[in-house]
Coordinates of all heavy atoms in Angstrom, one line a residue:
L1 N 0.8 -1.2 0.0 CA 0.0 0.0 0.0 C 0.9 1.2 0.0 O 1.8 1.4 0.8 CB -0.9 0.0 1.2 CG -1.7 1.3 1.5 CD1 -2.7 1.5 0.4 CD2 -2.3 1.3 2.9
V2 N 0.6 2.2 -0.9 CA 1.2 3.5 -0.9 C 0.1 4.5 -0.9 O -0.7 4.7 -1.8 CB 2.1 3.7 -2.2 CG1 2.7 5.1 -2.1 CG2 3.2 2.6 -2.2
D3 N 0.1 5.3 0.2 CA -0.7 6.4 0.4 C 0.1 7.6 -0.1 O 1.0 8.1 0.5 CB -1.1 6.6 1.8 CG -2.1 7.8 2.1 OD1 -2.2 8.6 1.1 OD2 -2.6 7.9 3.2
C4 N -0.3 8.2 -1.3 CA 0.4 9.3 -1.9 C 0.3 10.6 -1.1 O 1.0 11.5 -1.5 CB 0.0 9.5 -3.3 SG 0.4 8.0 -4.4
N5 N -0.5 10.6 -0.1 CA -0.6 11.8 0.8 C 0.6 11.7 1.8 O 0.8 12.7 2.5 CB -1.9 11.8 1.5 CG -3.1 12.0 0.5 OD1 -3.3 13.0 0.0 ND2 -3.8 10.9 0.3
V6 N 1.2 10.5 1.9 CA 2.3 10.3 2.8 C 3.6 10.3 2.1 O 4.6 10.9 2.5 CB 2.1 8.9 3.6 CG1 3.3 8.6 4.4 CG2 0.8 9.0 4.5
R7 N 3.7 9.6 1.0 CA 4.9 9.5 0.2 C 4.6 9.1 -1.3 O 3.5 8.7 -1.6 CB 5.9 8.5 0.8 CG 5.4 7.0 0.8 CD 6.5 6.1 1.3 NE 6.0 4.7 1.2 CZ 6.1 3.9 0.1 NH1 6.6 4.4 -1.0 NH2 5.7 2.7 0.2
Q8 N 5.6 9.2 -2.1 CA 5.5 8.8 -3.5 C 5.8 7.3 -3.7 O 6.4 6.7 -2.9 CB 6.4 9.7 -4.4 CG 6.0 11.2 -4.4 CD 4.6 11.4 -4.9 OE1 4.2 11.0 -6.0 NE2 3.8 12.0 -4.0
V9 N 5.3 6.8 -4.8 CA 5.6 5.4 -5.2 C 7.0 5.4 -5.7 O 7.5 6.2 -6.4 CB 4.7 5.0 -6.4 CG1 4.8 3.5 -6.6 CG2 3.2 5.4 -6.1
T10 N 7.8 4.3 -5.3 CA 9.1 4.1 -5.7 C 9.2 3.3 -7.0 O 8.2 2.5 -7.3 CB 10.0 3.4 -4.6 OG1 9.5 2.1 -4.4 CG2 9.9 4.2 -3.3
E11 N 10.2 3.4 -7.7 CA 10.4 2.6 -8.9 C 10.4 1.1 -8.6 O 9.9 0.3 -9.4 CB 11.6 3.0 -9.7 CG 11.5 4.2 -10.6 CD 10.3 4.2 -11.6 OE1 10.1 3.1 -12.1 OE2 9.6 5.2 -11.8
S12 N 11.0 0.7 -7.5 CA 11.0 -0.7 -7.1 C 9.6 -1.2 -6.9 O 9.3 -2.4 -7.2 CB 11.9 -0.9 -5.9 OG 11.4 -0.2 -4.8
E13 N 8.7 -0.4 -6.3 CA 7.3 -0.8 -6.1 C 6.6 -0.9 -7.5 O 5.8 -1.8 -7.6 CB 6.6 0.2 -5.2 CG 7.1 0.1 -3.7 CD 6.7 1.3 -2.9 OE1 6.5 2.4 -3.4 OE2 6.6 1.0 -1.6
W14 N 6.9 0.0 -8.4 CA 6.3 -0.2 -9.7 C 6.7 -1.5 -10.4 O 5.9 -2.2 -10.9 CB 6.7 1.0 -10.6 CG 6.0 2.3 -10.4 CD1 6.6 3.5 -10.1 CD2 4.6 2.6 -10.5 NE1 5.7 4.5 -10.0 CE2 4.4 4.0 -10.3 CE3 3.5 1.9 -10.9 CZ2 3.2 4.7 -10.3 CZ3 2.2 2.5 -10.9 CH2 2.1 3.9 -10.6
D15 N 8.0 -1.7 -10.2 CA 8.6 -3.0 -10.9 C 8.0 -4.2 -10.2 O 7.7 -5.2 -10.9 CB 10.1 -3.0 -10.7 CG 10.8 -1.9 -11.5 OD1 10.2 -1.4 -12.5 OD2 11.9 -1.6 -11.2
W16 N 7.7 -4.2 -8.9 CA 7.2 -5.3 -8.2 C 5.8 -5.7 -8.6 O 5.4 -6.9 -8.6 CB 7.3 -5.0 -6.7 CG 6.6 -6.0 -5.8 CD1 7.2 -7.1 -5.3 CD2 5.3 -5.9 -5.3 NE1 6.3 -7.8 -4.5 CE2 5.1 -7.1 -4.4 CE3 4.2 -5.1 -5.4 CZ2 3.9 -7.3 -3.8 CZ3 3.0 -5.3 -4.8 CH2 2.9 -6.4 -4.0
A17 N 5.0 -4.7 -8.9 CA 3.6 -4.9 -9.1 C 3.2 -5.6 -10.4 O 3.7 -5.4 -11.4 CB 2.9 -3.5 -9.1
E18 N 2.3 -6.6 -10.2 CA 1.6 -7.2 -11.4 C 0.3 -6.5 -11.7 O -0.2 -6.5 -12.8 CB 1.4 -8.7 -11.1 CG 2.7 -9.5 -11.0 CD 2.4 -10.9 -10.6 OE1 1.7 -11.2 -9.6 OE2 2.8 -11.8 -11.4
L19 N -0.3 -6.0 -10.7 CA -1.6 -5.3 -10.8 C -1.5 -4.0 -9.9 O -1.1 -4.0 -8.8 CB -2.7 -6.1 -10.3 CG -4.1 -5.5 -10.2 CD1 -4.7 -5.1 -11.5 CD2 -5.1 -6.4 -9.4
V20 N -2.0 -2.9 -10.5 CA -2.1 -1.6 -9.8 C -3.6 -1.3 -9.5 O -4.4 -1.3 -10.5 CB -1.4 -0.5 -10.5 CG1 -1.7 0.9 -9.8 CG2 0.1 -0.7 -10.7
L21 N -3.9 -1.1 -8.3 CA -5.4 -0.9 -8.0 C -5.5 0.4 -7.2 O -4.8 0.7 -6.2 CB -5.9 -2.0 -7.1 CG -7.4 -2.2 -7.0 CD1 -7.8 -3.6 -6.7 CD2 -8.0 -1.3 -5.9
L22 N -6.4 1.3 -7.8 CA -6.6 2.6 -7.2 C -8.0 2.8 -6.7 O -9.0 2.2 -7.3 CB -6.3 3.7 -8.2 CG -4.9 4.0 -8.8 CD1 -4.7 3.1 -10.0 CD2 -4.8 5.4 -9.1
S23 N -8.2 3.6 -5.7 CA -9.5 4.0 -5.2 C -9.4 5.4 -4.7 O -8.4 5.8 -4.2 CB -10.0 3.1 -4.1 OG -11.3 3.4 -3.7
G24 N -10.5 6.2 -4.8 CA -10.5 7.5 -4.3 C -11.8 8.3 -4.6 O -12.7 7.7 -5.2
M25 N -11.8 9.5 -4.1 CA -13.0 10.4 -4.3 C -12.8 11.4 -5.4 O -11.7 11.6 -5.9 CB -13.3 11.0 -2.9 CG -13.7 10.0 -1.8 SD -14.0 10.8 -0.2 CE -12.4 11.1 0.4
I26 N -13.9 12.1 -5.7 CA -13.8 13.1 -6.8 C -12.7 14.1 -6.5 O -12.0 14.5 -7.5 CB -15.2 13.7 -7.0 CG1 -16.2 12.7 -7.5 CG2 -15.1 14.9 -7.9 CD1 -17.6 13.3 -7.7
V27 N -12.6 14.6 -5.3 CA -11.6 15.6 -5.0 C -10.2 15.1 -5.3 O -9.3 16.0 -5.5 CB -11.8 16.1 -3.5 CG1 -11.3 15.0 -2.6 CG2 -11.1 17.4 -3.3
Q28 N -10.0 13.8 -5.4 CA -8.6 13.3 -5.7 C -8.4 13.0 -7.2 O -7.5 12.4 -7.5 CB -8.4 12.0 -4.9 CG -8.4 12.1 -3.4 CD -8.6 10.8 -2.7 OE1 -9.7 10.3 -2.5 NE2 -7.5 10.2 -2.3
S29 N -9.4 13.5 -8.0 CA -9.4 13.0 -9.4 C -8.1 13.4 -10.2 O -7.7 12.6 -11.0 CB -10.6 13.6 -10.1 OG -10.6 15.0 -10.1
D30 N -7.5 14.5 -9.9 CA -6.3 14.9 -10.7 C -5.2 13.9 -10.5 O -4.6 13.4 -11.5 CB -5.8 16.3 -10.3 CG -6.7 17.4 -10.8 OD1 -7.6 17.1 -11.7 OD2 -6.6 18.6 -10.4
D31 N -4.9 13.6 -9.2 CA -3.8 12.6 -9.0 C -4.2 11.2 -9.3 O -3.4 10.4 -9.8 CB -3.4 12.7 -7.5 CG -2.0 12.1 -7.3 OD1 -1.1 12.3 -8.1 OD2 -1.8 11.3 -6.3
F32 N -5.5 10.9 -9.2 CA -6.0 9.6 -9.6 C -5.7 9.3 -11.0 O -5.1 8.3 -11.4 CB -7.5 9.7 -9.4 CG -8.2 8.3 -9.4 CD1 -8.7 7.8 -8.2 CD2 -8.4 7.6 -10.6 CE1 -9.4 6.5 -8.3 CE2 -9.1 6.4 -10.6 CZ -9.6 5.9 -9.5
L33 N -6.0 10.3 -11.9 CA -5.8 10.1 -13.3 C -4.3 10.1 -13.7 O -3.8 9.3 -14.5 CB -6.5 11.2 -14.1 CG -8.0 11.3 -14.0 CD1 -8.6 12.4 -14.7 CD2 -8.7 10.0 -14.4
S34 N -3.5 10.9 -12.9 CA -2.1 10.9 -13.2 C -1.4 9.5 -12.8 O -0.5 9.1 -13.5 CB -1.4 12.0 -12.3 OG -1.8 13.3 -12.7
L35 N -1.9 8.9 -11.7 CA -1.4 7.6 -11.4 C -1.7 6.5 -12.4 O -1.0 5.6 -12.6 CB -1.9 7.2 -10.0 CG -1.3 8.0 -8.8 CD1 -2.1 7.7 -7.5 CD2 0.1 7.7 -8.6

């Protein structure tokens, strides 16, 4: 789990992942789409 309000995702975490799963509210839409 990476809460982007706490820290950014690392490249090693991107490399590790087979599936990326996001959830959020409308107010988070800009970063949601960027992720």
Side-chain angles (χ1 to χ4, degrees):
L1 171 68
V2 177
D3 181 349
C4 296
N5 299 282
V6 170
R7 66 175 181 85
Q8 294 301 303
V9 190
T10 65
E11 281 303 324
S12 62
E13 286 167 333
W14 285 119
D15 292 341
W16 172 86
E18 295 177 299
L19 170 69
V20 175
L21 197 153
L22 294 89
S23 180
M25 296 180 280
I26 291 175
V27 70
Q28 297 166 277
S29 60
D30 287 348
D31 197 45
F32 193 108
L33 300 176
S34 296
L35 288 169

